Amino acid sequence: MSGEKKKVGDGLQDVVATSSAICRIDIEDGRGVLEYRGYDIHDLAQNSNFEEVAYLLLFGELPRKKELELFKEELKERRDLPPQIIGLLTHLPPFTHPMVVLRTAISYLGSMDKYIHFKSHERSIEKAKSLIAKFPTIVAYHHRIRTGQNLIHPDFELGHAANFLYMLHGEVPSETEEKSLDLDLILHADHEFNASTFAARTAASTLADIYACVVAATGTLMGPLHGGASQRVMEMLREVAVPWRAESYVKEKLERGERIMGFGHRVYRQVMDPRTIELRVLAKKLAEEKEPKWVEISEAIAEAVYKYKGLLPNVDFYSASIYANLGIPDDLFINMFALSRISGWVSHIIEQYENNRLIRPRAQYIGADSREYKSLNGRK
Ligand code: COA
């Protein structure tokens, strides 16, 4: 094989790595399809809420009324953080990126779990609920600590999305703000074998503990080609500053051979990501009540990128305007993605544990031909 030196397709594009019953992505009749457990993302966006979606991903079925009430209670009961984690958040250097903080805190949580290596269905579900519930508290507490503000403890009257905004800002959000974040969380909850989920499943396939798998996923999400794109989109929106500057900005960037963050997708190559359709509507709606300029600049950028490169916006593009209008600091954007995607990660990890075979692909070798080792003195 090494003699041929012809490279196979990079990036595992279109490679089906293993099977899963959680999420379906497809392109049908020229439109992108995304389903969680068989339910269309547009239906879920219009009718569901994050807690219900998290339940659906974890258990495979929509909850009945009593089951949903119980699940919501269980999440609320698990929101608190042990004092050691609060101590950790206090002691990390103030310049630490919130995603690095998050993955460090997850690892620390693992060190405090006496049953860390137990992988029965019940134990895994328990850990999954705890992680989904604690993610918002970690992010909000750390932000309050690094900005010198008092901690706002979880409010058990509030749902998942509203409680996060309350803990972050110290004010109960408006109905529009709550619904906007809730919808954003629904849309980011799962996406088949995206890079972070694949990292989680690869770790799970070695039978590593759930915290290790989630740390792998969190680290992978942070990269600018994945969840890290939304923070860069916001930097771009700030740099462009006014809609009329968008076209020249995009043109020049593309001429320099640079990528425009928030555009392009490995799977939805010629069709619009169905999540982007929902997020665009949401971003525009929120802009009517808040600052309109972020969406206006976004629209101008999208038009220019399509004109000069034929690329469509992805899930990270309109998320940036939404987060900005929810008062989320730029460097928390990736964490926002993680607050939602944790529900997908844990569902995939459990699915992997329960039908496991080690994920261990091969690499096509394209390096030097076999050669003889030369001693140090014999090398030219
Ligand atoms: N800006 C400019 N050009 C882009 C681009 C972008 N955001 N995304 C893809 N392209 C171009 C590539 O340069 C390539 O052009 P070419 O054929 O002229 O060489 C072509 O589109 C195909 O891109 P490819 O590298 O095959 O895409 P991929 O499937 O490997 O990568 C992404 C997918 C998401 C990593 C890629 O689109 C990207 O880097 N996007 C920006 C980061 C981002 O928004 N990530 C969030 C993803 S949800």
Side-chain angles (χ1 to χ4, degrees):
M1 201 190 246
S2 62
E4 293 168 19
K5 305 267 173 66
K6 193 168 172 290
K7 277 174 87 185
V8 293
D10 284 331
L12 300 179
Q13 184 175 339
D14 298 328
V15 170
V16 175
T18 182
S19 54
S20 171
I22 299 173
C23 182
R24 185 172 84 88
I25 307 179
D26 221 328
I27 292 160
E28 286 169 3
D29 305 324
R31 89 187 169 101
V33 174
L34 168 59
E35 291 174 354
Y36 297 164
R37 303 277 191 187
Y39 293 98
D40 189 86
I41 194 67
H42 299 296
D43 267 355
L44 293 170
Q46 273 144 41
N47 302 301
S48 191
N49 55 67
F50 175 70
E51 288 93 326
E52 185 176 77
V53 161
Y55 184 102
L56 172 68
L57 291 171
L58 260 182
F59 299 104
E61 296 295 336
L62 284 172
R64 285 183 284 252
K65 198 160 181 275
K66 279 262 174 309
E67 290 167 330
L68 182 59
E69 276 166 19
L70 178 63
F71 186 63
K72 284 182 174 179
E73 284 306 308
E74 287 174 333
L75 291 184
K76 286 177 181 176
E77 283 162 11
R78 288 160 179 75
R79 284 176 182 165
D80 280 333
L81 297 182
Q84 293 92 327
I85 300 288
I86 301 176
L88 171 79
L89 301 180
T90 312
H91 287 105
L92 285 169
F95 53 80
T96 312
H97 191 283
M99 279 299 281
V100 177
V101 172
L102 181 62
R103 72 174 187 235
T104 308
I106 299 160
S107 206
Y108 198 176
L109 274 175
S111 77
M112 296 170 69
D113 183 348
K114 275 193 274 185
Y115 305 108
I116 182 170
H117 298 298
F118 287 50
K119 294 186 188 70
S120 69
H121 184 75
E122 292 68 30
R123 292 269 189 207
S124 296
I125 291 285
E126 171 50 38
K127 292 175 207 299
K129 286 179 198 161
S130 173
L131 284 163
I132 295 169
K134 286 181 173 46
F135 261 40
T137 320
I138 295 169
V139 176
Y141 273 15
H142 171 249
H143 180 67
R144 303 283 300 183
I145 290 167
R146 72 175 175 160
T147 50
Q149 302 179 80
N150 60 319
L151 292 188
I152 307 286
H153 299 300
D155 183 328
F156 293 92
E157 295 300 312
L158 299 175
H160 201 74
N163 176 61
F164 170 71
L165 290 173
Y166 168 67
M167 290 191 297
L168 190 72
H169 297 315
E171 273 174 32
V172 176
S174 69
E175 203 186 330
T176 309
E177 290 168 333
E178 176 182 4
K179 284 196 164 152
S180 301
L181 180 58
D182 191 57
L183 176 50
D184 179 85
L185 295 177
I186 292 173
L187 295 168
H188 283 83
D190 196 40
H191 209 232
E192 202 218 44
F193 274 27
N194 61 90
S196 57
T197 302
F198 188 57
R201 286 195 76 129
T202 304
S205 83
T206 71
L207 298 182
D209 65 85
I210 199 167
Y211 304 92
C213 303
V214 173
V215 168
T218 313
T220 308
L221 181 70
M222 194 180 172
L225 297 189
H226 190 6
S230 58
Q231 185 179 337
R232 314 264 167 133
V233 170
M234 199 60 222
E235 287 164 11
M236 171 170 68
L237 299 184
R238 292 190 194 287
E239 208 180 325
V240 173
V242 281
W244 59 262
R245 227 183 266 150
E247 181 162 356
S248 56
Y249 174 91
V250 166
K251 193 165 174 277
E252 284 163 24
K253 214 168 160 61
L254 290 173
E255 278 167 3
R256 289 196 300 270
E258 292 175 26
R259 292 199 168 209
I260 315 278
M261 292 293 122
F263 288 86
H265 196 275
R266 175 58 65 78
V267 183
Y268 309 113
R269 291 179 96 77
Q270 297 301 326
V271 299
M272 188 71 102
D273 180 334
R275 301 167 300 173
T276 308
I277 296 172
E278 296 287 344
L279 287 164
R280 180 168 178 249
V281 173
L282 175 61
K284 285 179 154 191
K285 218 155 123 193
L286 199 54
E288 283 168 15
E289 283 191 28
K290 306 266 184 174
E291 173 58 73
K293 82 171 172 187
W294 303 124
V295 172
E296 288 164 8
I297 301 167
S298 301
E299 292 287 80
I301 291 175
E303 200 180 310
V305 174
Y306 193 73
K307 177 174 168 186
Y308 291 105
K309 192 76 190 176
L311 288 171
L312 294 165
N314 59 44
V315 68
D316 287 305
F317 187 61
Y318 290 101
S319 301
S321 327
I322 294 167
Y323 297 149
N325 269 338
L326 288 174
I328 312 285
D330 298 7
D331 66 353
L332 287 191
F333 284 14
I334 320 173
N335 295 63
M336 300 306 294
F337 198 149
L339 296 193
S340 168
R341 187 55 59 86
I342 178 65
S343 59
W345 289 336
V346 289
S347 305
H348 278 273
I349 293 164
I350 293 171
E351 187 181 63
Q352 186 68 41
Y353 283 159
E354 293 180 358
N355 190 15
N356 190 49
R357 186 149 192 246
L358 178 73
I359 297 174
R360 201 294 187 199
R362 295 294 313 275
Q364 180 191 24
Y365 179 68
I366 55 161
D369 289 336
S370 306
R371 45 194 166 159
E372 214 172 294
Y373 179 84
K374 288 200 174 81
S375 67
L376 202 49
N377 290 338
R379 289 175 213 165
K380 287 193 192 125

